[in-house]
């Protein structure tokens, strides 16, 4: 006669499994490398970023305002888009890139110039966008 044996996990095996799962989650978190943005809360204050003449239509620029880096893209005569230049992967400074994307020199992430979304990883999060406008002869970012 066969006897049905059910193997129940011991208390020790449950604890060990939990520790292994926790370690795996920790490794996955470290592996993705996504870095929380360290940006100031927007106060809505218009801050001069660059002379408008230095940002031609279809042009990009990398600027520093109040000690923080930003990327600018001017898709047409009257529109300017502004993003942080802090890469969402591991915090390197994203460059102005070429074509349709900003490029991070550290691990090759690319971000759309039109909305800051990830065009190529390893970054998984979009670049934070800031309001910007051309006012007179200046490009202003609203910080
Ligand atoms: S820091 Fe790794 S791709 Fe930008």
């Amino acid at each position: 006669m066969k006897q049905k044996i059910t193997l129940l996990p011991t208390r020790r095996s449950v604890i060990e499994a939990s520790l292994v799962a926790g370690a795996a989650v920790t490794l996955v978190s470290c592996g993705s490398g996504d870095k929380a943005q360290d940006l100031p809360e927007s106060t809505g204050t218009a801050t001069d970023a660059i002379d408008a003449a230095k940002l031609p239509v279809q042009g990009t620029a990398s600027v520093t305002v109040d000690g923080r880096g930003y990327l600018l893209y001017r898709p047409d005569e009257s529109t300017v888009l502004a993003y942080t230049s802090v890469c969402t992967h591991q915090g390197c400074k994203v460059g102005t890139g070429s074509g349709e994307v900003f490029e991070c020199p550290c691990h090759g992430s690319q971000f759309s110039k039109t909305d800051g979304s990830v065009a190529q990883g390893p970054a998984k999060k979009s670049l934070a966008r800031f309001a910007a406008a051309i006012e007179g002869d200046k490009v202003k970012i609203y910080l």
Side-chain angles (χ1 to χ4, degrees):
M1 169 158 104
K2 285 191 172 182
Q3 191 173 24
K4 186 176 179 183
I5 300 174
T6 304
L7 296 176
L8 295 174
T10 63
R11 187 174 174 185
R12 179 179 175 161
S13 67
V14 169
I15 291 170
E16 287 172 349
S18 297
L19 290 174
V20 169
V25 168
T26 301
L27 288 173
V28 168
S29 296
C30 291
S32 70
D34 284 337
K35 182 173 182 173
Q37 295 289 305
D38 181 23
L39 296 169
E41 293 287 323
S42 174
T43 59
T45 303
T47 307
D48 287 353
I50 191 172
D51 290 341
K54 293 181 178 175
L55 187 63
V57 173
Q58 296 296 310
T60 57
S62 179
V63 298
T64 301
V65 178
D66 294 340
R68 295 183 186 269
Y70 299 91
L71 293 164
L72 302 173
Y73 172 56
R74 186 174 185 177
D76 58 47
E77 189 65 37
S78 60
T79 307
V80 173
L81 305 173
Y83 309 91
T84 176
S85 64
V86 178
C87 184
T88 58
H89 179 228
Q90 291 183 350
C92 287
K93 183 178 179 182
V94 177
T96 53
S98 59
E100 309 271 312
V101 294
F102 298 116
E103 298 172 349
C104 181
C106 290
H107 310 103
S109 289
Q110 297 180 342
F111 302 90
S112 166
K113 290 180 180 177
T114 56
D115 63 7
S117 64
V118 176
Q120 176 179 298
K124 294 179 180 171
K125 295 179 184 173
S126 302
L127 294 176
R129 186 172 166 189
F130 291 80
I134 299 171
E135 295 178 10
D137 61 350
K138 298 287 185 190
V139 172
K140 299 196 181 237
I141 302 175
Y142 289 78
L143 302 175

